[in-house]
Structures are given as structure tokens and as C-alpha cells.
Amino acid sequence: MSRIVDVREKLYSFSGRVILWYLRRVLLGKDSPLIVNFQLTHRCNLRCKMCNIWRDPQEATLPLEDFKKIIKEAGELGCFFASLSGGESLIIKDILSYVSYAKSHIPYVNLVTNGLLLSQEMAKGLAETGLDTISISID
């Protein structure tokens, strides 16, 4: 029963954000995102032929403080869904901080991973952040 309540709450939250987004756009002429996707890092533990992300020699990772500023603003603008990906998102040593902070500002958060670094400890940590879904990339 609690799962049904959770789904209802998310639906109401989403509906409210869509209505606010629409009113802001129509009445004020201001656009804002409902959905955001963050490519957090170019670091990866695989070298898939179809992927170019790992070929970036800088292996850059979006700093947590920069991420926090962006995600907070996205939440304030009414964003409902955030997807966090990479490279390989679980390579980021403080990925739980990214996910936790995203969940504090965005109602629905998804994490994309290849799953190779998904240990029991990491799965428990991700569950504790309130992460909604995990997408396993098997390209």
C-alpha cells in the first residue's frame, strides 16, 4: 500500500510542477526545464567501441559544488526528473552526495551505470539516498 501512496505523491508532485511550468511559460513567457540530464563524468571503467566518452583525455568530472548550484536552481524552476550519468557514474567517489543532493531538490532521480561497480554496500547507500531508479546500461 505504501508503494501506491508513493506513486500518487509523485504523480501529484509531477502534475503540480507541469501546471506551474505551463503557467510560467504562458503567462510570464519564461521557459524552464521539467527534465534534466547530467553527464557527471567522462571517466569510465570500460572502453566500449560505440562510446566516445572515455576517449576524452581530461576525464573531467563535474565538481559537486557546481552540481549543487545547478540542481538547486533546476528544482526551484520546477524540474521534476533528473538523470545522472557519465561515463560511469559510480566511479565518482562521492556519488552518494550527488544523488542525495539531487533528491533533496528534484522529486524523481535516476542514475545510469554499467553496473560493474554496484556492490551490496553501494546499493544500500543508493537506497538510503532515496534514489528512485537505476538504469543499467548494457550497450
Side-chain angles (χ1 to χ4, degrees):
M1 186 67 166
S2 66
R3 183 72 179 141
I4 292 171
V5 171
D6 186 45
V7 170
R8 279 191 191 139
E9 288 175 3
K10 289 204 184 305
L11 181 61
Y12 293 142
S13 176
F14 176 69
S15 300
R17 285 176 183 248
V18 169
I19 291 167
L20 289 173
W21 174 85
Y22 182 78
L23 292 174
R24 192 178 299 124
R25 185 166 196 244
V26 171
L27 297 177
L28 303 175
K30 294 183 177 181
D31 284 323
S32 61
L34 280 175
I35 299 170
V36 293
N37 181 41
F38 288 91
Q39 188 173 337
L40 297 175
T41 186
H42 277 206
R43 296 170 49 221
C44 190
N45 55 338
L46 294 177
R47 300 294 181 255
C48 302
K49 289 181 182 181
M50 83 316 185
C51 181
N52 288 321
I53 290 174
W54 61 270
R55 293 184 175 129
D56 183 350
Q58 295 182 24
E59 295 187 336
T61 296
L62 178 64
L64 180 58
E65 291 309 312
D66 293 348
F67 173 79
K68 285 181 174 182
K69 290 176 191 171
I70 298 166
I71 205 80
K72 183 178 180 202
E73 185 175 342
E76 290 170 352
L77 290 171
C79 181
F80 176 79
F81 179 91
S83 183
L84 312 179
S85 64
E88 172 49 43
S89 55
L90 296 182
I91 278 183
I92 301 169
K93 72 174 175 118
D94 49 355
I95 189 63
L96 297 178
S97 297
Y98 285 79
V99 175
S100 182
Y101 194 81
K103 275 302 296 176
S104 70
H105 290 84
I106 308 288
Y108 197 98
V109 177
N110 176 66
L111 181 76
V112 181
T113 175
N114 61 31
L116 294 177
L117 301 174
L118 191 57
S119 65
Q120 209 169 17
E121 182 182 339
M122 178 58 76
K124 183 179 178 184
L126 288 169
E128 289 171 357
T129 67
L131 180 67
D132 295 287
T133 54
I134 296 176
S135 298
I136 305 291
S137 175
I138 56 172
D139 296 325

